[in-house]
Amino acid sequence: MQEHDNIILPDYKEYPPEEMKARSKQFYDEIKRRHTVREFSEKPVPREIIENCLKAAGTAPSGANHQPWFFSVIGSSEAKKEVRVHAEKEERAFYDDGKGGEVWLDALKPLGTDSHKPYLETAPWLIAIFAQRKGGLHAGEQRKNYYVPESVGIATGFLINALHSSGLATLTHTPKPMGFLNTICDRPKSERPYILLVTGYPAEGATIPVHATIKKPLEDIAEFIE
Ligand code: IYR
């Protein structure tokens, strides 16, 4: 077996059970206020906030700790417009030219989405999240990465949580295919565009679909085998 070093678990905090109950409830109350938003304000968001949220995302667990993610943060009007033009082209094929298929489009009806994606230009930041098939822990390495979709999914969850906690709204957008993001962001072919995360302040009077407010109750999503 290869040599490895350990250190004492740093920064762990144990709380009394009563405090744990209160903290877990507080976290739930906070995260259940998160809703996907499709109407964004143009109000600028300081880059430092996004940087902190990305640092939080970067602490996520990952296969072999290779951290197989890359975040291209798009803030210029020109680049956002380019993203919108390409995304709407794919969305027109999906919604209007039959690519989505009847069953899928039917499932989306309660959301009321269509091929128009004005928020791709309105929101101050678009975060293109890439999944790296190759990389390793250190810059410049080309080692194989492991559990890539799982790892990037977890990091994306951390990022959404961090943005929400900071007071920002998000939208997980996934135009298909998203290869145009590699070109716009100048990322190599070995990186797969994973999600385009739109973030900013919600527009004044922003609405959400009633459908999105329905969350499955605990007994439908979990069981305890005791
Ligand atoms: N990417 C399209 C379609 C879409 C697909 C699913 I699954 C959604 O939950 C929402 C939308 C769009 O963004 O409109």
Side-chain angles (χ1 to χ4, degrees):
M1 253 233 291
Q2 227 192 331
E3 290 278 320
H4 73 277
D5 286 331
N6 278 9
I7 58 164
I8 296 291
L9 175 65
D11 306 328
Y12 175 74
K13 288 186 192 162
E14 181 172 331
Y15 308 104
E18 282 314 309
E19 194 178 334
M20 291 171 85
K21 284 179 198 165
R23 290 177 67 96
S24 57
K25 175 71 167 57
Q26 254 168 33
F27 183 82
Y28 169 52
D29 286 341
E30 192 46 40
I31 200 73
K32 75 174 186 215
R33 294 192 304 99
R34 186 212 62 83
H35 300 287
T36 291
V37 160
R38 292 186 177 80
E39 295 152 88
F40 284 86
S41 155
E42 283 183 355
K43 193 169 156 183
V45 169
R47 174 172 155 166
E48 184 184 338
I49 300 169
I50 307 300
E51 286 179 350
N52 286 336
C53 294
L54 291 169
K55 285 188 206 166
T59 68
S62 64
N65 193 32
H66 282 192
Q67 304 159 48
W69 41 69
F70 193 83
F71 304 93
S72 289
V73 188
I74 303 168
S76 85
S77 310
E78 300 76 43
K80 285 194 289 181
K81 177 156 189 78
E82 216 182 322
V83 170
R84 180 180 179 186
V85 167
H86 283 89
E88 286 189 331
K89 185 165 167 262
E90 300 304 345
E91 297 295 13
R92 280 195 295 276
F94 178 86
Y95 283 100
D96 310 329
D97 303 337
K99 209 169 157 194
E102 206 182 319
V103 176
W104 195 345
L105 290 184
D106 204 47
L108 294 182
K109 271 190 191 142
L111 295 177
T113 51
D114 61 26
S115 63
H116 297 96
K117 306 296 179 196
Y119 46 75
L120 292 175
E121 283 191 85
T122 326
W125 299 110
L126 310 179
I127 307 176
I129 305 172
F130 292 91
Q132 302 178 317
R133 269 189 288 274
K134 293 186 300 184
L137 174 56
H138 303 288
E141 284 180 347
Q142 289 294 309
R143 299 170 74 188
K144 180 177 159 36
N145 288 334
Y146 303 93
Y147 295 101
V148 174
E150 292 84 349
S151 304
V152 183
I154 296 167
T156 301
F158 275 36
L159 179 58
I160 293 170
N161 192 4
L163 291 164
H164 169 71
S165 298
S166 308
L168 293 170
T170 56
L171 165 67
T172 36
H173 184 45
T174 49
K176 234 170 104 166
M178 302 194 258
F180 61 86
L181 289 176
N182 289 72
T183 313
I184 295 171
C185 305
D186 197 21
R187 302 306 302 170
K189 278 206 178 74
S190 57
E191 294 188 2
R192 181 173 71 84
Y194 182 77
I195 276 172
L196 181 59
L197 196 67
V198 182
T199 192
Y201 292 91
E204 222 173 287
T207 63
I208 60 163
V210 172
H211 177 79
T213 66
I214 308 164
K215 298 294 178 192
K216 292 182 181 178
L218 184 62
E219 56 272 25
D220 288 3
I221 63 167
E223 67 173 350
F224 285 79
I225 301 161
E226 291 186 288

